[in-house]
Amino acid sequence: MNVLMCLAAILFLLMVGIGGKKGARSYMALFFNFGVLFLTILFMSNPSANPIILTLMACTVISCINLFYINKVNLKTVTAFLSTIITIVILLFLIFIITDKAMIQGFGEEELEELSIFSPYVGVDFVKVGASMIIMSTIGAIIDVAISITSPMREIYHHNPTISRKNLFFSGLSIGRDILGTSANTLFFAFFGGYMALLIWYKDLSYSVGQIVNSKIFSVEIITILCAGIGVALIIPITSWITAYFLVKNRDI
């Protein structure tokens, strides 16, 4: 516990020292996001609850926290919020279909030993829970890309207020292309960093490449990475178009 408190204090000091008031709000947002996720999981344990609806609600609240609470309400956060919600809705339907067809819901055989003492009849639709898990894993990257595009686009418009909507849109796409590669690699390395012990275990058990690829745990993480990459790619044109539309619209009014 002392280590956790020390690390939390160091993080707080760094975020406040570097980010000032916005850094302090960002630090508090970590706890707010944790509270939203915790409440979402509690509500999902109710058999009558719909995990998809809960996920949409949680993503909306998380987006509000990370955009409006940290950066306040302005044109760039509003457009980033709209882009995030539209992308999440599109991605959620795609992920639900993939989860159902790929049959990656539930637990893998590597987890059976730890779960053997528990009852598997929990009364929860694991297809919807699997889709919710993947979308929750991608929400952070999607919000990050959205605000990373709207902010420089607003600066471009501020310094060149006569720019056309088409040129502003293509400027957003150009910014997004630079972000796309790094965001996809971040998701990729996050997977291997978090599951390095699992990969070592696969090696010790002499798993073949085919067994690793067809392992449910491995498949879930790879599908999560691919879906997150799809979400990051989708939000670039969506954010660019919405931001360009509203910036030029406000100028023409």
Side-chain angles (χ1 to χ4, degrees):
M1 181 60 70
N2 290 334
V3 174
L4 295 178
M5 294 299 293
C6 289
L7 290 175
I10 292 171
L11 177 61
F12 175 75
L13 292 174
L14 287 173
M15 293 182 74
V16 172
I18 296 173
K21 292 182 179 179
K22 185 174 288 188
R25 290 196 297 269
S26 300
Y27 184 81
M28 294 302 300
L30 295 174
F31 296 95
F32 294 151
N33 289 330
F34 174 79
V36 172
L37 292 174
F38 183 74
L39 289 175
T40 303
I41 293 171
L42 286 180
F43 287 126
M44 279 187 184
S45 62
N46 186 344
S48 63
N50 189 326
I52 301 296
I53 301 300
L54 289 174
T55 301
L56 285 174
M57 294 172 61
C59 288
T60 302
V61 175
I62 290 171
S63 299
C64 290
I65 292 171
N66 287 278
L67 293 172
F68 300 139
Y69 174 69
I70 296 176
N71 298 291
K72 298 183 179 180
V73 179
N74 50 57
L75 185 60
K76 67 180 181 181
T77 55
V78 170
T79 52
F81 175 77
L82 290 174
S83 305
T84 299
I85 297 303
I86 292 171
T87 305
I88 288 295
V89 171
I90 296 172
L91 196 60
L92 193 54
F93 283 109
L94 175 65
I95 290 173
F96 180 76
I97 295 171
I98 292 173
T99 304
D100 186 31
K101 298 298 182 183
M103 300 181 68
I104 58 172
Q105 68 273 10
F107 301 98
E109 60 183 9
E110 294 83 5
E111 301 167 301
L112 293 179
E113 185 176 348
E114 290 88 352
L115 298 171
S116 59
I117 61 174
F118 300 105
S119 171
Y121 302 104
V122 294
V124 176
D125 188 342
F126 272 95
V127 175
K128 294 179 180 179
V129 171
S132 300
M133 178 194 70
I134 295 175
I135 204 69
M136 285 293 187
S137 302
T138 64
I139 181 65
I142 290 173
I143 294 174
D144 182 56
V145 172
I147 195 66
S148 297
I149 293 175
T150 58
S151 184
M153 283 184 69
R154 185 172 177 272
E155 289 299 316
I156 292 172
Y157 176 78
H158 176 72
H159 292 286
N160 187 11
T162 59
I163 189 172
S164 66
R165 180 175 292 156
K166 180 180 179 181
N167 289 335
L168 187 58
F169 169 72
F170 282 112
S171 297
L173 287 182
S174 180
I175 295 167
R177 291 189 189 102
D178 294 333
I179 299 171
L180 181 61
T182 55
S183 297
N185 278 291
T186 299
L187 296 168
F188 176 78
F189 288 116
F191 160 71
F192 278 99
Y195 280 84
M196 188 173 292
L198 177 65
L199 297 175
I200 294 173
W201 187 51
Y202 282 155
K203 178 183 178 299
D204 291 340
L205 293 177
S206 301
Y207 270 39
S208 65
V209 175
Q211 287 175 310
I212 294 175
V213 172
N214 287 285
S215 170
K216 181 175 285 189
I217 297 177
F218 186 84
S219 298
V220 169
E221 293 305 318
I222 292 298
I223 289 175
T224 301
I225 293 173
L226 295 176
C227 289
I230 292 171
V232 169
L234 276 176
I235 200 168
I236 291 172
I238 292 174
T239 304
S240 300
W241 187 87
I242 291 177
T243 305
Y245 174 80
F246 279 104
L247 285 172
V248 175
K249 181 182 177 182
N250 287 345
R251 180 189 65 191
D252 295 338
I253 293 176

